[in-house]
Amino acid sequence: MTCDGHSLRHNALVYGSADEYVARSVAFLREGLAAGEGAIVANTRPGLAALREALGPDAAAVTFVDVSEAYTRPARTLAAYHAVYAGQLQKTPSLRAVADVQFGPDPGEWDLWTGYEAVFNRSFGHLPAWVLCTYNMNGLPDPVLEGVWRTHPEVLAGDAWHTSEHYEDANLVLRRITPEPVPLPGLRPMPFGRDLEEFRERLASEAVRDGTTHARVLDLLLAATEVATNAVAFGGGVEEVRVGRAGGRFVCEIVDRGGGFDDPSAGYLAPRNGSGAGLWVARQLTWQIDFFRSPDGFTARIWL
Amino acid sequence: MSRAERLTRDQERDLVIAAEAGDPAACRELVEAFLPAIGGLARRFPGGIGVERQELVQEGVAGLLFAARRYDSGLGTPFWAYASFWVRKAMQELVAELTRPVALSDRAVRGLAHMRTARTDHLRIHGTEPTLAELSRATGLTPAQLESLRALERTPRGIEQPLEAHGEAAATVGDAIVDPLAEQAYDQVLDDLEIRAVHDSVGRLAERERVVIEAHYGLGRPAQTLKEIGGSLGLTAERARQIEAGALSKLREALARPAPDGRLASEGPAAY
């Protein structure tokens, strides 16, 4: 198997031991280096050290990336990887990467990172990259390992590549794992104002009054501006704005008059020619953004 | 009863969310609340492995703050039940790094740890990889020394491996270090956090842009009109509006493009 040099190949390696992880990763990367591709290893420090040692002199041509603190929220992790891949692709026409996803201990968040793996296929679909995500079959829970086959079209397991029969479109996975939004009765209405500038002023005032730190107010203003700009440009205008605290976070709901969209990947696609970066920016700056239709209209709910 | 145990679930949630948002006071309070628990995990590591208690605690603090950035209070998991995994993981990775079998001078090992801590702190505070110059400023090491340290790569060794240090049988760190020293380590960690105060996004703009944004939106001061801001800067209101629009645009564009240095930032956007 080879990378076609034009688009993403997003595969998984399910390994049974540290030795297997090292041996298969090194073989994968060396094959790419021999073909003139860039090579990236993303893992925590011990994993990086093991691969660096095994690669020997070849390590000099490999970019090692410590991901110890990178996996906070999927949108931020995607943005971080995008930066690394874009940097590498300035030096080589294509790249190979071995990446270790950091699933945490809480079963409640496994779906979140499975969703991240699913949307990775769309987010970087345009990049000439072959990414091998690594999963320890002896160290990860079954639901996570089952998710591997839903989010990677091809999986290297045992001694062979397997085409996954369970692979699903990213949006299908995202829809399944996204809970139905519930009303937030504690929010209060906020007049939108004459234009985006007045909207930002009012929103800043509400957020400051609510005790939001200054740095986060600016994040909110940037994110809400992107969402409100979409509502004005494509949603027939802003119908209603609601703000307040919910679940300990500052929340801003922007309801527009349009039909909305039905794309759970919205805001997760890395910037590329022909696509806007507004929601990509907004997702990076916030905890979560939900898009849903309600009796009031198409709603964007921003959780700071 | 520890401070963490005295927090109600709502207080704990609000504290974690404020820390996730980068509020330095909340970070400090969160660390103070969970420091006894972090220290408890640090004491479980075997002694005589060349890793000091303070280093384990500091790494544990970094793990705690990472957990805060990732913790979803909506799932209902008690914070420590969630965060302890990341605290222990961070400590384990430090031990693996510092107990590699290739012999290094003690000075080099400490230099590596110092460099790694400075890098972690920079990532946590700025969300970007530090440059060599920034690392140099933070550690007091020269760029050449840092380059040499970066080149040092050896194989990790499992923490369960029997170890001896200085000819003495391994003992637990907790056996060797009494509580007052732990408190001292804790204070040093907090001082470090305090010194490296969290810089907000606006702080990365040019001075005039920062003044306009902060003044217009009332960040840390009463909000002013663009006319008032322009007056204080010797500009027209329209010019102040243009500066503000340019600053917002600059922030947005920086977020949409990849980082110039191609490093993986811990916190999304690589640089403003």
Side-chain angles (χ1 to χ4, degrees):
Chain A
M1 288 196 177
T2 59
C3 175
D4 67 8
H6 301 291
S7 58
L8 177 74
R9 292 190 65 155
H10 181 219
N11 298 159
L13 163 64
V14 179
Y15 60 88
S17 68
D19 287 346
E20 184 184 0
Y21 162 75
V22 170
R24 294 202 184 282
S25 298
V26 166
F28 174 77
L29 293 170
R30 281 194 172 136
E31 188 180 75
L33 288 171
E37 296 185 289
I40 294 169
V41 177
N43 206 325
T44 57
R45 292 193 298 267
L48 294 179
L51 274 193
R52 194 190 294 265
E53 185 193 37
L55 281 161
D58 288 337
V62 177
T63 299
F64 292 88
V65 180
D66 182 354
V67 298
S68 299
E69 299 193 11
Y71 285 85
T72 50
R73 298 294 290 169
R76 297 170 189 170
T77 310
L78 289 170
Y81 271 115
H82 182 236
V84 175
Y85 293 168
Q88 181 62 51
L89 291 173
Q90 289 174 358
K91 297 181 254 178
T92 55
S94 59
L95 68 84
R96 291 189 183 203
V98 176
D100 199 65
V101 182
Q102 302 295 297
F103 282 86
D106 193 337
E109 65 177 15
W110 292 341
D111 273 353
L112 183 76
W113 295 101
T114 294
Y116 158 84
E117 282 281 53
V119 82
F120 194 101
N121 293 291
R122 292 198 66 200
S123 184
F124 299 132
H126 61 306
L127 294 183
W130 190 355
V131 179
L132 191 62
C133 299
T134 54
Y135 288 82
N136 181 356
M137 66 184 296
N138 296 318
L140 289 166
D142 287 345
V144 170
L145 293 171
E146 287 161 12
V148 173
W149 298 85
R150 287 192 282 134
T151 54
H152 299 81
E154 289 142 350
V155 178
L156 178 56
D159 289 325
W161 282 97
H162 305 271
T163 299
S164 174
E165 296 176 356
H166 303 287
Y167 178 69
E168 295 176 326
D169 177 74
N171 281 356
L172 194 62
V173 176
L174 291 175
R175 282 195 187 93
R176 184 184 303 125
I177 66 176
T178 303
E180 283 294 314
V182 296
L184 301 177
L187 302 189
R188 56 190 181 273
M190 183 196 92
F192 179 71
R194 294 184 304 272
D195 52 25
L196 281 171
E197 176 144 344
E198 191 171 326
F199 164 70
R200 273 200 299 268
E201 287 189 23
R202 290 172 189 242
L203 185 58
S205 174
E206 293 284 353
V208 168
R209 189 181 308 154
D210 234 64
T212 307
T213 62
H214 301 149
R216 295 298 281 159
V217 171
L218 185 64
D219 290 345
L220 172 68
L221 295 181
L222 286 163
T225 296
E226 300 294 349
V227 172
T229 300
N230 278 356
V232 171
F234 308 112
V238 173
E239 175 70 21
E240 189 177 0
V241 179
R242 292 185 287 264
V243 297
R245 287 218 161 254
R249 296 186 176 278
F250 186 81
V251 176
C252 172
E253 286 187 349
I254 299 171
V255 184
D256 71 35
R257 303 187 182 102
F261 53 80
D262 184 22
D263 182 4
S265 299
Y268 288 119
L269 303 188
R272 67 200 71 182
N273 290 336
S275 79
L279 294 182
W280 169 262
V281 168
R283 282 203 189 273
Q284 288 177 56
L285 294 171
T286 55
W287 176 257
Q288 181 173 310
I289 304 180
D290 306 321
F291 296 100
F292 57 93
R293 294 187 179 87
S294 72
D296 299 330
F298 184 68
T299 302
R301 178 182 287 168
I302 302 169
W303 300 79
L304 190 61
Chain B
M1 182 183 285
S2 72
R3 293 183 63 175
E5 288 168 336
R6 288 199 294 270
L7 292 173
T8 67
R9 289 296 291 271
D10 282 354
Q11 286 172 329
E12 181 182 276
R13 177 199 65 193
D14 291 349
L15 190 58
V16 173
I17 289 174
E20 182 263 330
D23 182 342
C27 288
R28 184 181 179 90
E29 194 175 341
L30 189 71
V31 170
E32 285 177 352
F34 287 95
L35 200 79
I38 294 171
L41 282 184
R43 277 192 292 274
R44 294 188 193 177
F45 282 79
I49 58 173
V51 182
E52 292 183 2
R53 169 72 176 277
Q54 180 190 336
E55 293 170 318
L56 284 171
V57 169
Q58 179 141 6
E59 201 65 17
V61 168
L64 184 87
L65 293 175
F66 169 74
R69 291 208 301 277
R70 176 168 159 147
Y71 175 67
D72 185 350
S73 61
L75 297 176
T77 310
F79 178 63
W80 180 248
Y82 176 80
S84 57
F85 170 87
W86 297 108
V87 170
R88 182 171 171 78
K89 185 169 187 282
M91 292 178 182
Q92 280 177 321
E93 289 177 357
L94 175 70
V95 170
E97 186 177 11
L98 293 185
T99 57
R100 293 170 188 168
V102 174
L104 268 187
S105 70
D106 184 63
R107 184 178 176 184
V109 171
R110 299 293 161 218
L112 265 177
H114 199 182
M115 181 175 74
R116 181 195 43 71
T117 300
R119 176 184 169 274
T120 302
D121 288 344
H122 190 96
L123 279 169
R124 187 170 66 242
I125 293 166
H126 301 289
T128 62
E129 282 283 352
T131 64
L132 206 57
E134 287 168 336
L135 271 183
S136 179
R137 277 197 298 277
T139 60
L141 299 167
T142 67
Q145 287 173 318
L146 289 168
E147 289 287 15
S148 299
L149 289 170
R150 281 178 167 177
L152 292 172
E153 285 301 333
R154 291 152 297 141
T155 308
R157 181 169 52 181
I159 61 167
E160 293 79 12
Q161 189 171 336
L163 291 165
E164 288 191 352
H166 310 301
E168 299 173 359
T172 67
V173 176
D175 291 338
I177 302 175
V178 293
D179 281 346
L181 188 55
E183 287 303 309
Q184 185 184 347
Y186 150 60
D187 286 341
Q188 287 177 15
V189 169
L190 293 181
D191 287 346
D192 202 36
L193 288 172
E194 194 85 335
I195 290 165
R196 301 161 202 270
V198 175
H199 290 188
D200 63 32
S201 308
V202 185
R204 300 173 204 174
L205 293 169
E207 178 66 14
R208 192 164 62 169
E209 293 171 326
R210 185 181 61 77
V211 168
V212 171
I213 294 256
E214 288 184 347
H216 194 195
Y217 297 122
L219 307 181
R221 65 182 75 181
Q224 292 179 285
T225 65
L226 288 170
K227 186 177 179 182
E228 290 169 334
I229 297 166
S232 65
L233 294 174
L235 304 167
T236 64
E238 173 56 18
R239 181 62 190 132
R241 191 196 65 74
Q242 289 171 356
I243 291 170
E244 178 193 77
L248 290 172
S249 175
K250 189 187 291 184
L251 291 169
R252 180 188 184 281
E253 287 172 12
L255 284 163
R257 69 168 177 261
D261 62 359
R263 299 290 181 81
L264 188 57
S266 67
E267 196 57 28
Y272 286 148

